[in-house]
Amino acid sequence: MHAIATAADTATDLAGWLRLQHLPGVGPVAARALLARFGLPPQIFATSFEALREVVPASVARAIVQPPKPVANSQLALTLQWLERPGNAVLTLADAAYPPLLLEIADPPLLLYVRGRAELLSRPGVAIIGSRNASAQGMQNAAAFAQALSAAGLTIISGLALGIDTHAHEGGLRGEGATVAVIGTGADLVYPRRNLDLAQRIAEQGCIVSEYALGLPAMPGNFPRRNRLISGLARGVLVIEAAAQSGSLITARLAGEQGRDVYALPGSIHATLAKGCHALIKQGAKLVESADDVLQELQWLGGIPSAPAAVEDETPLLAALGHDPLDADTLAARSGLAMGVLMAELLALELAGRVERLPGGLFQRCK
């Protein structure tokens, strides 16, 4: 078995944890109360109905004293088979390797299913989150911040979604801090499928973690719930781009409730994807413009390697565009270019990665 040497090493012990996980009406809070009162799962299932009733409702106590349900037995067989594969592990609340920061949150999971380097879960990390429909500039920022913070030794934590999450993981893999993906399905599945290759590289070089039972497919309610683990594992949460109503803002709120720092990258006042970050800054999130700002807020020693200054290749059209989104008519008036010439130059800049075409006929500088 390739699991970490823990209380879940034997089939008997793992069976008890899985049975507790699958009890109807028992979530992380109730399970933790039972563990605190009666000890490990074998002691809980050996406890009388009357004693259990002092901690949980009668319906839950009744379920505990009943024989194991078939779902728990089938999950045991599936999990033991999964643990035979190199790099797979199950951590329980009783394990010394369980991430200490997760023990600080109100409802830590009973079990964590881990693929890859489980030790990354206990190392200092920063969560980087944002929109799935991110701009090209936002994705570049996510990768650059993640790479710099990972190079400084911080683990990059995100949720394996498209957009900002994807580029944060990519940047994290390029530094020594690596990356952790907290997913909303069973650890044996990958969602979205477009990130299958990325997930494989994370499992090999970083870590994938889930609280959900093996085989559980993507379900809408699971992703907001897993967000508490993204923030819970991190010392701080950086929001790169987020609309005014965004799941990233839920994660940022959870981070604040968990006592984690929240950082936000500002953007143009005209950009929809900057609205959420600006709202966070108004509410007290720390405005950051560089990875070094994050490191200073964290009081992380050592700083980041200095990168060579970029050579600014400013063209008259880029100067006219500035740093806010503009439509072609306004840009033509500013630059004095005929529309045909303007569109040709914009296309060249777009192909060079210097300009991004936004919805609504707008153009924005990328670099």
Side-chain angles (χ1 to χ4, degrees), residues 17-286:
W17 286 100
L18 288 169
R19 183 181 172 189
L20 186 59
Q21 182 187 40
H22 289 281
L23 278 174
V26 176
V29 175
R32 201 175 188 185
L34 289 165
L35 292 164
R37 179 69 176 272
F38 303 113
L40 295 174
Q43 285 73 52
I44 294 173
F45 291 111
T47 301
S48 68
F49 173 85
E50 292 74 17
L52 292 167
R53 184 66 186 83
E54 297 175 4
V55 179
V56 293
S59 59
V60 175
R62 197 170 296 113
I64 292 174
V65 298
Q66 296 297 315
K69 298 291 184 184
V71 64
N73 293 328
S74 62
Q75 275 295 316
L76 175 61
L78 179 63
T79 305
L80 289 173
Q81 184 179 25
W82 182 77
L83 284 171
E84 292 176 358
R85 301 174 191 167
N88 292 350
V90 174
L91 303 179
T92 77
L93 273 175
D95 293 335
Y98 194 93
L101 283 181
L102 281 191
L103 295 175
E104 297 177 3
I105 72 174
D107 52 351
L110 272 182
L111 300 174
L112 291 174
Y113 300 82
V114 182
R115 292 177 60 196
R117 298 168 57 193
E119 73 273 10
L120 292 176
L121 299 174
S122 298
R123 291 186 180 176
V126 173
I128 298 181
I129 58 174
S131 174
R132 288 174 171 80
N133 301 308
S135 69
Q137 184 64 67
M139 291 186 286
Q140 289 173 14
N141 288 338
F145 270 77
Q147 182 173 349
L149 294 170
S150 180
L154 291 166
T155 297
I156 304 303
I157 303 158
S158 201
L160 199 63
L162 300 177
I164 297 298
D165 288 18
T166 293
H167 287 76
H169 289 308
E170 291 282 7
L173 287 173
R174 291 195 283 269
E176 66 181 60
T179 191
V180 168
V182 185
I183 63 175
T185 66
D188 54 337
L189 304 176
V190 175
Y191 180 86
R193 296 295 292 175
R194 282 170 57 182
N195 274 346
L196 185 61
D197 174 70
L198 174 60
Q200 183 59 38
R201 286 187 285 125
I202 293 173
E204 292 171 355
Q205 304 171 44
C207 175
I208 294 176
V209 62
S210 175
E211 68 177 309
Y212 296 112
L214 297 175
L216 187 72
M219 301 172 66
N222 289 349
F223 291 92
R225 179 163 177 76
R226 65 89 196 261
N227 289 350
R228 81 193 195 286
L229 304 186
I230 294 176
S231 55
L233 284 166
R235 291 177 55 173
V237 175
L238 170 60
V239 184
I240 298 284
E241 282 186 339
Q245 302 295 326
S246 165
S248 298
L249 302 189
I250 296 174
T251 309
R253 175 180 57 79
L254 291 168
E257 293 173 356
Q258 294 167 346
R260 310 303 192 244
D261 288 339
V262 178
Y263 318 111
L265 200 65
S268 166
I269 61 172
H270 304 292
T272 301
L273 291 175
K275 300 296 184 184
C277 291
H278 292 172
L280 289 173
I281 292 168
K282 290 177 183 177
Q283 295 163 14
K286 298 174 175 65

Side-chain angles (χ1 to χ4, degrees), residues 323-339:
H323 294 276
D324 286 343
L326 282 182
D327 60 84
D329 290 335
T330 303
L331 192 51
R334 278 192 184 182
S335 65
L337 296 173
M339 187 59 70

